[in-house]
Amino acid sequence: MKNVRVHLGERSYTIRIGADALGDIGKVCLRHFRGARALVVTDTNVAPLYAEKTLASLAAAGVQASVLRIPAGEASKSMRQLSRILDRMASMRLDRGCGAVALGGGVVGDVAGFAAAVFLRGVPYVQAPTTLLAQVDSAVGGKTAVDHKLGKNLVGAFHQPIAVVSDTSTLKTLPEREFRAGLTEVVKHAAIADARLFSFLEKNEARILDRDEDVMGRVVATNCRIKAKVVEQDERESGLRQILNYGHTLGHAVEALAGYSSELLHGEAVAIGMSAASRISCAMGCCASGDVERLTALLARFGLPTRMAEPPKLAVLKRLLASDKKTRRGSPRFVLMRKIGEVEPEVEVPPRLWRGALAGS
Amino acid sequence: MKNVRVHLGERSYTIRIGADALGDIGKVCLRHFRGARALVVTDTNVAPLYAEKTLASLAAAGVQASVLRIPAGEASKSMRQLSRILDRMASMRLDRGCGAVALGGGVVGDVAGFAAAVFLRGVPYVQAPTTLLAQVDSAVGGKTAVDHKLGKNLVGAFHQPIAVVSDTSTLKTLPEREFRAGLTEVVKHAAIADARLFSFLEKNEARILDRDEDVMGRVVATNCRIKAKVVEQDERESGLRQILNYGHTLGHAVEALAGYSSELLHGEAVAIGMSAASRISCAMGCCASGDVERLTALLARFGLPTRMAEPPKLAVLKRLLASDKKTRRGSPRFVLMRKIGEVEPEVEVPPRLWRGALAGS
């Protein structure tokens, strides 16, 4: 079992990473929920696989738990599902000494975390991520949100979990496509902050795609350390934290175009966005073409898309980017790559470069 | 014009208090909204009186503003009105360099403030309170919320405004009953923290009820100073801030019973709650009976209720208090009075005392 500490003063917490870590979730909750009651929020895919294991651990620790299942999929990041969770929290009469457990992927973590952020103006919650994407990225850092018809994550809160329990055994049950989509954020962390991790990924492609337990434990822990370090320096995304949005400016637009559907997973959209951002970086003289090739090659070896056959018209892109949270005075900001392991945030990019970069030119 | 500073590190802000302070709101917004755009949220009562004055000041400062009116009344502290405000923020494409203005009483401030707290995970907002209750209490301190059918303020956030503009001229247009209800929180602040203010209120009853401009400016500023001092020491209500809930434990229950209707205003419910809390304090040997008499006499002279003719059954009270945010392990906590100007938070009170205290015995 590996422990990664996120240092945020009185909001500090520990990420517990390892095979069968879910077996310890009862003890973790008991330590933090003085009220010894918890609402487990999960989805219709994850519930049949891991709800029982989670409830058994909670029961063994004497934590009274109730389960709420939301439909699997991005469509559940909605005001509607948020209200359902809040209704349940209210009818359970959770108080500030109780808490929530977000058992599932990024969607469950975001909407359950947001509910925990606003119920009674904040109750404690534990992230129990069961997807690679959530384990290496969304479960760490306290960003919670729901989507709005005019944009992704438009409504949310910064609310740190009181603990993260990352059971790497759960990665084995992930559908292949979803596992690969999760690798996008792994590649992103390496590309923005850790050239050594990038080389490790290049060398261990096969063992990673085999979901080798040792390698994946190491990958998850390294990614959590990278993300924790960034979040520690900029908890509320006023500066440095923006580097974590590498590939997300265009990525979110691509995702919005696909209507947040299973047609294109978040990780796939960001893979296209990262590739495009690297091409823009190169076109603007910020990085070398060799770095673009290494990035797109690694993504491709992980089976991820790196371009769009038919990018949308510029007017459409402009409209989509105007609702990006990183927009200032109507002008979207990009994170560009300087070299593998180093990026530059807050760059304005001429719109004429957007479409070509998406198309792969 | 009086200025009261609320010291909260990087979240510090200034409360500007005085006749015609609304005339300066444009300049205040311009200083804080780099994007120079704002959504003014107000209600159907306040809009005809003060929207024009507010918009003129914003326009003069070059701030582009749009107005959203919500129905006047507590029923607007709802997920529905919250969604309406968020929809408008999204369609206006507000970004983190823009902001909201909450122009109205406590309801507008709470729901618009909550929308500002969660839109893009937080955009700046200015409180422009137009009722006595909001000027002396709800607009200061960053508590925002909507109600839930199972309890008041069950869903919300701590989100400090970037400025408060309290135009004391607006007090003149308040309906008499609402003005008097606002005096409840004035009496509360005096009772919990300022014996001198309490004596001042006793001596100046007539000028206060006349809404004398000098006296009211002084009363609002003193109240803001008291509240600011408490909030500075405990921004997120983990301890000291609970003293501000004096009278609110039973007050909220009484308000819930009346269905948050115009039958009983928030201030009237809290006046009953404070009176009951003082009787409980006396019954538990915490304060002298003379203090109970001074408190209830002052409230009565302000035309506020101090008891219920028919308090609800104990079982009903228990159910209502169980959803109170200050409940720990199912047991509600009270703030009791030691003497005028001093209270003790976090006290468990035997349920057998609740009903009698409400009835006035």
Side-chain angles (χ1 to χ4, degrees):
Chain A
M1 207 68 68
K2 291 183 176 69
N3 288 303
V4 175
R5 185 82 180 156
V6 186
H7 300 276
L8 292 167
E10 58 184 13
R11 291 182 301 285
S12 297
Y13 54 96
T14 299
I15 307 165
R16 215 172 149 68
I17 301 155
D20 293 315
L22 267 182
D24 298 332
I25 199 164
K27 275 184 284 180
V28 170
C29 287
L30 191 61
R31 197 176 310 139
H32 295 285
F33 300 164
R34 292 158 301 159
R37 286 190 301 140
L39 172 63
V40 178
V41 179
T42 186
D43 73 22
T44 46
N45 284 346
V46 175
L49 295 167
Y50 301 112
E52 204 174 320
K53 185 176 179 178
T54 305
L55 290 174
S57 175
L58 289 166
V63 178
Q64 257 186 290
S66 161
V67 177
L68 178 67
R69 293 183 315 160
I70 62 174
E74 180 80 22
S76 284
K77 275 182 64 169
S78 62
M79 290 293 276
R80 193 181 134 81
Q81 295 302 327
L82 174 73
S83 290
R84 272 189 70 204
I85 300 171
L86 292 171
D87 286 349
R88 179 68 79 87
M89 287 174 161
S91 66
M92 280 178 73
R93 303 200 181 283
L94 279 194
D95 61 46
R96 288 177 183 162
C98 305
V101 173
L103 175 70
V107 169
V108 166
D110 276 7
V111 65
F114 187 31
V118 296
F119 188 68
L120 306 186
R121 299 196 186 92
V123 293
Y125 75 114
V126 172
Q127 289 279 16
T130 60
T131 66
L132 183 56
L133 176 73
Q135 290 187 359
V136 299
D137 189 14
S138 60
V140 177
K143 275 168 90 168
T144 70
V146 295
D147 297 332
H148 187 277
K149 61 181 183 295
L150 295 178
K152 203 173 144 66
N153 296 326
L154 276 199
V155 178
F158 291 95
H159 186 51
Q160 299 296 340
I162 45 140
V164 180
V165 176
S166 274
D167 187 336
T168 47
S169 317
T170 62
L171 299 179
K172 289 183 196 143
T173 51
L174 269 188
E176 183 66 15
R177 192 175 157 206
E178 214 176 311
F179 179 78
R180 287 169 184 259
L183 288 172
T184 297
E185 304 288 350
V186 174
V187 173
K188 181 193 78 178
H189 285 138
I192 64 172
D194 193 339
R196 269 185 60 202
L197 172 63
F198 200 93
S199 301
F200 178 86
L201 298 174
E202 290 176 319
K203 284 181 202 125
N204 291 276
E205 173 208 330
R207 290 176 70 195
I208 289 168
L209 288 174
D210 273 355
R211 310 185 197 182
D212 175 290
E213 221 160 72
D214 276 355
V215 172
M216 288 317 296
R218 183 170 158 185
V219 165
V220 172
T222 305
N223 274 269
C224 287
R225 262 181 232 113
I226 294 171
K227 178 138 189 199
K229 216 167 143 184
V230 175
V231 170
E232 282 165 5
Q233 290 171 74
D234 177 23
E235 186 179 357
R236 294 179 70 95
E237 200 170 24
S238 48
L240 178 70
R241 186 160 177 169
Q242 292 173 15
I243 69 173
L244 295 172
N245 290 317
Y246 182 61
H248 283 63
T249 305
L250 286 171
H252 279 161
V254 169
E255 199 178 5
L257 269 175
Y260 307 116
S261 69
S262 56
E263 191 190 306
L264 193 74
L265 299 179
H266 174 72
E268 292 167 346
V270 173
I272 293 171
M274 277 206 287
S275 305
S278 73
R279 288 182 203 110
I280 288 172
S281 308
C282 186
M284 291 181 70
C286 187
C287 78
S289 62
D291 292 326
V292 179
E293 280 153 31
R294 275 181 79 192
L295 181 76
T296 50
L298 183 58
L299 290 170
R301 282 157 69 195
F302 285 151
L304 292 161
T306 60
R307 62 176 68 198
M308 285 182 98
E310 291 175 38
K313 289 193 178 136
L314 187 55
V316 176
L317 274 178
K318 279 188 175 167
R319 187 174 49 75
L320 289 167
L321 265 63
S323 68
D324 192 276
K325 284 188 295 304
K326 291 162 292 296
T327 291
R328 302 252 183 242
R329 291 183 182 268
S331 177
R333 294 294 190 269
F334 285 70
V335 181
L336 296 190
M337 184 162 71
R338 284 204 199 103
K339 60 182 182 188
I340 298 293
E342 206 180 306
V343 285
E344 184 170 335
E346 286 266 22
V347 184
E348 254 189 271
V349 170
R352 66 182 161 77
L353 295 178
W354 302 354
R355 286 194 74 225
L358 282 173
S361 59
Chain B
M1 206 69 68
K2 292 184 175 67
N3 288 304
V4 175
R5 185 81 180 157
V6 186
H7 300 276
L8 291 166
E10 58 184 14
R11 292 183 299 286
S12 296
Y13 55 96
T14 299
I15 308 165
R16 214 171 151 68
I17 301 155
D20 292 315
L22 267 181
D24 299 332
I25 200 164
K27 276 184 282 177
V28 170
C29 287
L30 192 62
R31 197 176 311 139
H32 296 286
F33 300 165
R34 291 159 302 158
R37 285 191 301 139
L39 173 64
V40 178
V41 180
T42 186
D43 73 22
T44 47
N45 283 346
V46 175
L49 294 168
Y50 301 111
E52 203 174 321
K53 185 175 180 179
T54 306
L55 290 174
S57 175
L58 289 166
V63 178
Q64 257 187 288
S66 160
V67 177
L68 179 66
R69 292 183 316 160
I70 62 174
E74 180 80 22
S76 283
K77 275 182 65 171
S78 62
M79 290 294 276
R80 192 181 136 81
Q81 294 303 327
L82 175 73
S83 291
R84 272 189 70 205
I85 300 172
L86 293 171
D87 287 349
R88 178 68 79 86
M89 287 174 163
S91 66
M92 279 179 73
R93 302 200 181 286
L94 279 195
D95 60 43
R96 287 176 184 163
C98 305
V101 174
L103 175 70
V107 169
V108 166
D110 276 7
V111 66
F114 187 31
V118 297
F119 188 68
L120 305 185
R121 299 195 186 92
V123 293
Y125 76 114
V126 171
Q127 289 278 16
T130 60
T131 66
L132 181 58
L133 176 72
Q135 291 187 358
V136 298
D137 189 15
S138 59
V140 177
K143 276 169 90 170
T144 71
V146 295
D147 296 332
H148 186 278
K149 62 180 183 292
L150 294 178
K152 202 173 147 64
N153 296 326
L154 276 197
V155 178
F158 290 96
H159 185 50
Q160 298 297 340
I162 45 140
V164 180
V165 176
S166 274
D167 187 335
T168 47
S169 317
T170 63
L171 299 179
K172 288 183 198 143
T173 52
L174 269 188
E176 182 66 18
R177 190 174 158 205
E178 215 177 309
F179 179 79
R180 287 169 183 258
L183 287 173
T184 296
E185 304 288 349
V186 173
V187 174
K188 182 194 78 179
H189 285 138
I192 64 173
D194 192 340
R196 268 185 60 202
L197 173 63
F198 200 94
S199 301
F200 178 85
L201 299 174
E202 288 176 321
K203 282 180 206 129
N204 292 276
E205 175 209 329
R207 290 177 69 194
I208 290 168
L209 287 175
D210 273 354
R211 309 186 199 181
D212 175 289
E213 221 160 71
D214 275 356
V215 172
M216 287 318 296
R218 181 169 163 188
V219 164
V220 172
T222 305
N223 274 268
C224 287
R225 263 181 231 114
I226 294 171
K227 179 141 187 196
K229 214 165 144 188
V230 174
V231 170
E232 281 165 5
Q233 291 173 73
D234 177 24
E235 188 179 355
R236 294 179 69 95
E237 200 170 25
S238 49
L240 178 69
R241 186 160 176 168
Q242 291 172 17
I243 68 172
L244 296 173
N245 290 316
Y246 181 62
H248 282 64
T249 305
L250 285 171
H252 279 162
V254 168
E255 199 177 3
L257 269 174
Y260 307 116
S261 69
S262 56
E263 192 190 306
L264 193 74
L265 299 179
H266 174 71
E268 292 167 345
V270 173
I272 294 171
M274 277 205 288
S275 305
S278 73
R279 288 178 203 114
I280 289 172
S281 307
C282 185
M284 290 179 73
C286 187
C287 78
S289 62
D291 293 324
V292 179
E293 280 152 32
R294 275 181 78 191
L295 181 76
T296 50
L298 183 59
L299 290 170
R301 282 159 67 194
F302 286 151
L304 292 160
T306 60
R307 63 176 66 195
M308 285 180 97
E310 290 175 37
K313 289 195 178 136
L314 187 55
V316 176
L317 275 178
K318 279 188 174 168
R319 186 173 51 74
L320 289 167
L321 266 63
S323 68
D324 191 276
K325 285 187 295 306
K326 293 163 289 297
T327 291
R328 302 256 183 238
R329 291 181 183 270
S331 178
R333 294 293 190 272
F334 285 69
V335 181
L336 297 190
M337 184 163 69
R338 284 204 199 103
K339 60 181 181 189
I340 297 294
E342 205 179 308
V343 286
E344 183 170 335
E346 286 267 20
V347 185
E348 256 189 89
V349 170
R352 66 180 160 78
L353 294 179
W354 302 353
R355 285 195 74 223
L358 282 172
S361 61

